[in-house]
Amino acid sequence: MDARSIIQSVRDGKSLSADQAQWFARGLADGSVSDAQAGAFAMAVLLKGIGTEGRVALTQAMRDSGEVLRWDMPGPVIDKHSTGGVGDSVSLLLAPALAACGCYVPMISGRGLGHTGGTLDKMEAIPGYDATPGIGALRKVVAEVGCAIVGATGEIAPADKRLYGIRDISGTVESIDLITASILSKKLAAGLEGLTLDVKVGSGAFMARPEDAKALAQSLVATANGAGCKTTALITDMDQPLGHSAGNALEVIEVMETLTGTGVNEALWDVTAALGGEALVLAGLAKDAVEGTARIDEVLSNGRAVEVFGKMVAALGGPSDFVERFLDRLPSAPVIRAVEAPRAGFVSRIDTRAVGEAVVHLGGGRLVGTDKINPSVGLWEIVALGEDMAAGEPLVTIHAANDRDADAAEAALLAAIELSDEAPEEPPLIHERIGPEDVQ
């Protein structure tokens, strides 16, 4: 067996066997497969596809290319993954909420990608927080606190890390087979018993069209269950930012206001509770999603979730008084400017991708991989679809490092937010649920 024969097999539409996948993943991890061969493989997968069995084989092979965690906990090991959105800070709410319900949550997360925010970047807005502490610390914090939001180390799915970079330069990023294997290889390497997926759809999602989002959700659910991890997915709306903020420190403030009850964002809460309800069913801690959602509502309301969040922050190097003094502990931007509505009318459309890109250009994301993020910048109090605005009323408040950046963001946001004389039909928060029974 060699790289050439495997590439030819996939190119000729013969899918990918478990043995072939294991060989190729080992070659990606140890460097014996060249960049040219990896690019040819990715292109063959994009053009021909590898089917459910091939996706399962590739996912398991990339998972097994590095360390696979094993847990011996007194409760179920559960996680959640989002395909990426704008103003989407669900992970920061859900990890401690699930832990408060009796789950153990080793949430291995990523950084911002394109116009979407990254969970690790948000956590690193907290002074002292170590988002890449290594596997030993991950194990310790999960055991003691119940959850840890951290980044993957080089020991987790190294084959995926290599192929991920190749996909970007070989024009194969959009392959659902490769997206599926990439997401799940890292998640399954965490040793999960159950996984709930948040697949975004709309103007701010990577899968903007409903049919594409559904195809990805079905691929993820079928592959994860085929690889032995109980998984369901919710397709949720990204035709507007989920939260009222976008930007790292600002999203942490919104999370803390929600956790402490001082400023609850209902949409953010509802998506968190729905995903958590599904996760608790997978964990065997709720008989159905209705009961599970009610349990998440309870721990978000009664302070148990924020207590866990505070312990996690302290355990990973952040301030021990973060819950009590989060506004003092987080960085703030020097320039704060309201963007005023140019006319009266209803908010009829939001180009959510453009909103996310405005945050990136403010310095809240990366234009190239080496860019350093400014955690203080972003957008606050973003309007929602259907809001009735008076002329001159704020559409959003920009937090910027300087006036030049604020000027550019203001122009971009005025182009991204449309007003009309009639109220639009508001999209549902949750479009569809995809379970194992839907992909057989």
Side-chain angles (χ1 to χ4, degrees), residues 206-225:
F206 286 110
M207 297 296 182
R209 300 189 310 166
E211 57 267 36
D212 294 334
K214 185 169 184 176
L216 178 57
Q218 290 174 326
S219 174
L220 288 163
V221 170
T223 304
N225 282 282

Side-chain angles (χ1 to χ4, degrees), residues 12-35:
D12 294 340
K14 297 177 182 176
S15 187
L16 185 72
S17 72
D19 288 343
Q20 289 174 322
Q22 290 287 342
W23 190 97
F24 208 86
R26 282 195 300 270
L28 286 168
D30 66 21
S32 58
V33 168
S34 70
D35 284 356

Side-chain angles (χ1 to χ4, degrees), residues 407-421:
D407 290 343
E410 181 171 3
L413 292 162
L414 285 170
I417 300 171
E418 295 181 10
L419 300 171
S420 68
D421 294 332

